[in-house]
Amino acid sequence: AVRDKIGTHNFYYYKTNDTFILTTSLKYIVSEFNLSIDKSVIPTYLGNFYINAPNTIFKDVKKLESGTYLIFNTKLNIYKYFDLINLYKTSKKINSYKKSLESLNNDLINSIKNKTKGYDRVGVFLSSGIDSTLITSILKKIGKSINTYTIAFEEKERDESEGALKISNYFNTNHHEYKLDKKNAIDITNNLFKIYTEPFADPSMIPTLFLEKNVDDDIILTGDGADQMFAGSLIYNTISYPKKIYRFIRQYKYDEYNKYKKEVKLFYNKIPESYLNNYNLKILNNRKYLLYDMLTFLPNRLLYKVSTPKVYFKKNIVYPFIDDNVVKTSLKIKYRYKYYFGCKKYILKNILYKNLDKSLIDNTKKGFGIPLKKWLKEFYKEDIYKYSDENILNHQGIFDYKLIKNFLDKLEDNTIKLSECYVLFAYYMFQLWYKEYIKDLWKK
């Protein structure tokens, strides 16, 4: 078994003295064997919303890490064939901005050409942001007929449909808009763990799954990976400060990759470990966090979110940014060309602005997220209370009712913080998963 270099798909393996199982889904292993939950990963799951490879929710089941392959012949051996960190260290950096821009632009065009070759119906998941718009502009440039798809929300703070429509009109695409209302949201939520086989709590999986279920093209392109490769996340505003300011913020205000640890401590009475403890990179902070993102967040959260329903619904979804040549070029581009005086994804924006009026791009990052606080209170509250019955929680033996009740009381009187909402949502998702794969303790 070979897991691809960046980790677009998973392999799980289960090994005991007399059994070895390798599969792309946990469903078969769970159905055939009596597995024990690894409670040690729960705090970190609650704070990160996913479980990082090689761990899974089960003690005896592991997940193959990206860039590795497995051979079993009476003995289990795992080998690394792609080392992202070593590739970064050994890559000769491109000295000029002009050459960086030209190389990246050419690689992206070639990536999109190669991935869409031979396909007539080409789709794009379009937000009003940089990545999907850049993909759309390149598709238009190479002469493809394009279908674009976006999600509409009733809540304006999360809605990007208006901006997506403007971009669609600019590039003359065949545009499709799907409204995610309460009925659709609840229906999808109730069926999440028929599709996802691990506890998983990225709130944007709900609109992502809704979109994947509805699209119908020969091939669909997404902008996943660009944020992690080109400093597009909000975190880079913090770690890109001058060193003295950054140290002050890090010590007193902000913990970049474990920012929900206080909330998890209140909820679960344990402090989650940072996934970054797995790595000891002697590289400047802003550079190494790009690598951290590509090693952890990208394969285990972002790609798991998109690729899992992709397989379930049998959709042909591809990632132009996660292309061998694009990845290699990104590692050669200097950090200041990615994050330039407060401008995230600086080099990607300048490629895009050659083909698009800047005013059409909304730089307020929304993605396909959900209005989480509102949905917890208006869509999910009754269900969360059901899964938080004191007697059942005591029988389950994982969560402390008193700690959870504190969060529920805050939800009830509307004093709950958004950061606490994320942890509460992760707990809710865990219970839905538990019901599907372990035991329905709530069945009457």
Side-chain angles (χ1 to χ4, degrees):
V2 181
R3 191 172 184 196
D4 58 281
K5 294 177 181 178
I6 302 299
T8 56
H9 294 94
N10 279 329
F11 281 101
Y12 300 94
Y13 58 96
Y14 170 72
K15 185 181 181 301
T16 61
N17 290 334
D18 57 357
T19 304
F20 177 74
I21 301 292
L22 177 69
T23 179
T24 56
S25 171
L26 279 175
K27 283 185 179 180
Y28 174 74
I29 300 177
V30 174
S31 65
E32 293 294 320
F33 301 96
N34 186 20
L35 303 173
S36 298
I37 287 177
D38 184 356
K39 292 183 181 180
S40 69
V41 305
I42 292 177
T44 311
Y45 155 75
L46 290 171
N48 290 274
F49 324 131
Y50 66 97
I51 298 169
N52 204 46
N55 293 323
T56 72
I57 190 61
F58 298 113
K59 290 179 180 178
D60 295 323
V61 181
K62 296 298 179 185
K63 195 161 39 184
L64 202 58
E65 294 183 84
S66 54
T68 64
Y69 66 95
L70 176 155
I71 295 176
F72 181 77
N73 186 8
T74 69
K75 185 179 179 182
L76 176 65
N77 291 295
I78 296 174
Y79 304 94
K80 181 180 283 291
Y81 72 90
F82 178 74
D83 190 331
L84 185 72
I85 295 170
N86 185 60
L87 182 60
Y88 170 81
K89 289 179 177 179
T90 57
S91 294
K92 185 178 179 181
K93 301 299 178 281
I94 303 172
N95 286 324
S96 80
Y97 177 71
K98 183 179 179 182
K99 288 182 179 178
S100 298
L101 190 78
E102 289 174 353
S103 295
L104 181 57
N105 186 43
N106 289 335
D107 286 338
L108 282 170
I109 291 171
N110 288 332
S111 171
I112 291 171
K113 276 184 177 178
N114 292 335
K115 285 174 171 52
T116 59
K117 187 176 181 180
Y119 291 104
D120 296 322
R121 293 189 301 163
V122 177
V124 180
F125 288 163
L126 181 66
S127 65
S128 60
I130 296 297
D131 314 324
S132 58
T133 305
L134 178 54
I135 290 170
T136 305
S137 73
I138 293 173
L139 284 169
K140 191 68 177 179
K141 192 173 184 179
I142 64 177
K144 290 290 183 181
S145 177
I146 312 163
N147 289 323
T148 48
Y149 303 91
T150 197
I151 292 285
F153 292 95
E154 294 176 353
E155 299 81 7
K156 290 298 180 185
E157 72 272 14
R158 297 304 316 179
D159 187 59
E160 290 190 318
S161 61
E162 186 177 328
L165 181 59
K166 288 179 181 178
I167 292 163
S168 166
N169 290 336
Y170 185 89
F171 290 114
N172 194 28
T173 74
N174 183 23
H175 193 58
H176 307 263
E177 181 180 298
Y178 297 98
K179 188 170 184 178
L180 187 53
D181 56 19
K182 182 176 182 178
K183 181 180 180 300
N184 285 319
I186 292 175
D187 180 61
I188 289 168
T189 303
N190 288 336
N191 290 283
L192 280 171
F193 294 99
K194 289 179 171 60
I195 299 170
Y196 295 99
T197 59
E198 289 193 81
F200 187 62
D202 184 330
S204 65
M205 65 181 170
I206 296 166
T208 297
L209 196 153
F210 181 57
L211 206 54
E212 290 192 32
K213 182 180 179 181
N214 283 289
V215 298
D216 183 24
D217 277 301
D218 296 331
I219 189 167
I220 302 124
L221 283 65
T222 83
D224 294 297
D227 282 346
Q228 292 69 45
M229 294 161 61
F230 297 99
S233 303
L234 291 173
I235 184 176
Y236 294 99
N237 288 336
T238 301
I239 63 178
S240 300
Y241 283 119
K243 190 177 289 186
K244 287 183 180 179
I245 300 175
Y246 168 74
R247 283 177 178 168
F248 176 84
I249 291 173
R250 185 176 187 186
Q251 183 176 356
Y252 295 105
K253 186 178 179 182
Y254 191 75
D255 187 348
E256 299 89 356
Y257 277 83
N258 207 2
K259 63 181 180 179
Y260 298 109
K261 64 181 182 182
K262 292 180 181 177
E263 290 81 3
V264 174
K265 179 69 166 62
L266 291 171
F267 192 88
Y268 197 71
N269 203 27
K270 291 185 185 295
I271 295 176
E273 291 185 11
S274 172
Y275 288 146
L276 306 190
N277 292 341
N278 298 333
Y279 308 97
N280 183 24
L281 294 183
K282 294 181 179 179
I283 301 170
L284 288 174
N285 277 315
N286 47 20
R287 280 77 166 173
K288 73 181 179 184
Y289 284 117
L290 286 169
L291 297 176
Y292 285 149
D293 263 353
M294 293 176 72
L295 288 164
T296 59
F297 184 92
L298 179 56
N300 296 293
R301 180 170 166 179
L302 196 59
L303 293 176
Y304 179 70
K305 174 187 72 178
V306 179
S307 292
T308 304
K310 159 190 165 177
V311 173
Y312 184 86
F313 292 122
K314 296 180 173 60
K315 306 293 184 179
N316 186 14
I317 298 174
V318 296
Y319 315 98
F321 289 100
I322 307 173
D323 169 85
D324 273 3
N325 290 327
V326 176
V327 170
K328 288 175 183 176
T329 297
S330 78
L331 298 176
K332 296 176 184 177
I333 294 173
K334 294 182 177 181
Y335 183 79
R336 68 174 178 267
Y337 301 153
K338 300 176 181 180
Y339 187 96
Y340 186 74
F341 290 98
C343 181
K344 301 185 293 295
K345 291 191 285 198
Y346 177 73
I347 193 167
L348 290 183
K349 289 177 180 177
N350 283 328
I351 293 173
L352 175 60
Y353 294 156
K354 289 182 178 180
N355 303 308
L356 181 75
D357 185 341
K358 290 182 183 181
S359 65
L360 288 173
I361 292 293
D362 180 2
N363 285 308
T364 305
K365 194 170 185 62
K366 297 173 186 173
F368 286 141
I370 64 173
L372 183 60
K373 190 172 182 179
K374 179 182 177 182
W375 281 22
L376 283 175
K377 194 167 180 66
E378 296 182 10
F379 293 12
Y380 301 137
K381 187 174 75 170
E382 184 178 338
D383 218 25
I384 293 172
Y385 271 91
K386 182 183 84 171
Y387 287 106
S388 303
D389 179 271
E390 183 175 7
N391 293 327
I392 294 176
L393 287 182
N394 290 337
H395 175 69
Q396 186 183 26
I398 297 175
F399 299 102
D400 186 327
Y401 172 75
K402 290 180 180 178
L403 297 177
I404 290 170
K405 189 176 184 303
N406 289 334
F407 275 62
L408 296 179
D409 289 344
K410 291 180 183 179
L411 182 66
E412 187 65 41
D413 62 22
N414 207 31
T415 59
I416 192 167
K417 299 175 183 176
L418 182 58
S419 58
E420 294 171 328
C421 287
Y422 279 105
V423 177
L424 184 60
F425 182 74
Y427 156 77
Y428 176 40
M429 293 298 102
F430 182 92
Q431 297 294 65
L432 290 177
W433 171 85
Y434 189 97
K435 173 188 174 184
E436 185 72 28
Y437 288 96
I438 307 302
K439 189 176 182 180
D440 186 356
L441 301 174
W442 301 271
K443 189 175 182 179
K444 293 183 179 179

